[in-house]
Amino acid sequence: GQQVMQIPQYQHVQEGEDFTTYCNSSTTLSNIQWYKQRPGGHPVFLIQLVKSGEVKKQKRLTFQFGEAKKNSSLHITATQTTDVGTYFCAAQSNFGNEKLTFGTGTRLTIIP
Amino acid sequence: GAGVSQTPSNKVTEKGKYVELRCDPISGHTALYWYRQSLGQGPEFLIYFQGTGAADDSGLPNDRFFAVRPEGSVSTLKIQRTERGDSAVYLCASSLTRGRSPLHFGNGTRLTVT
């Protein structure tokens, strides 16, 4: 079945440093979504990418979908303590199948 | 407005018992998903409903797991003959339409099988 891998598994950064997590799929994707899960919380939707090569920004967060639609990345500029949590990508392989497969996640901790 | 509601928030049961987990989606959301999340892992897909029917149940691990959504709103995940390996947080999510819609998750039910 479809596999969605994320690297790194963990990332510890000093407050103010940048952070990037990468998401890779074994199959070509219809679209990809990103979620954030705070410690003890549930996943919360951040954004969806649909088009090949698409780039979207939300304040300090930049999301990118690969040209081949098999990978994606999330980059956070100048991290803040509020960015702490686990970031998941979630992939949909084709439009006919609504199953959303979540990646393994990257857990971000911030050193104040 | 109200979000996705899951009850109970915590459930402790003995090995071999039967449990039911309930999910009340956001009003008007036609799609409903069940996921299972173990500590340090990503949510693992179990089943997806579009309306009353299970559109994809390929994630159910075995025939001890069953889910229903009889009126296209509230859903119940049923686990028979629970095993210790079933211990996890069971997450329910709903979305407005099928395909390419953001999932809105509930707070989950933490199931512990002793």
Side-chain angles (χ1 to χ4, degrees), chain B residues 18-75:
Chain B
Y18 168 82
V19 295
E20 288 189 353
L21 311 180
R22 175 189 168 105
C23 173
D24 199 341
I26 293 172
S27 177
H29 281 196
T30 60
L32 185 146
Y33 299 76
W34 283 99
Y35 285 84
R36 177 170 70 175
Q37 188 173 28
S38 299
L39 192 63
Q41 304 294 316
E44 173 194 6
F45 172 82
L46 296 177
I47 187 169
Y48 154 68
F49 287 90
Q50 180 60 37
T52 59
D56 186 340
D57 64 357
S58 62
L60 295 178
N62 51 59
D63 61 6
R64 295 187 297 106
F65 288 74
F66 189 70
V68 295
R69 193 185 186 199
E71 297 179 357
S73 178
V74 171
S75 176

Side-chain angles (χ1 to χ4, degrees), chain A residues 38-95:
Chain A
R38 294 182 183 272
H42 58 270
V44 175
F45 174 80
L46 294 176
I47 209 158
Q48 177 171 258
L49 304 170
V50 177
K51 298 177 183 177
S52 169
E54 187 170 16
V55 178
K56 287 189 177 180
K57 294 189 176 184
Q58 286 180 351
K59 298 183 180 178
R60 295 177 295 104
L61 278 61
T62 302
F63 305 83
Q64 187 164 4
F65 204 4
E67 293 290 340
K69 299 185 75 173
K70 295 182 74 171
N71 57 72
S72 181
S73 64
L74 158 58
H75 179 82
I76 303 178
T77 304
T79 54
Q80 300 175 359
T81 55
T82 53
D83 296 326
V84 164
T86 301
Y87 292 85
F88 293 100
C89 62
Q92 193 171 42
S93 61
N94 61 69
F95 193 74

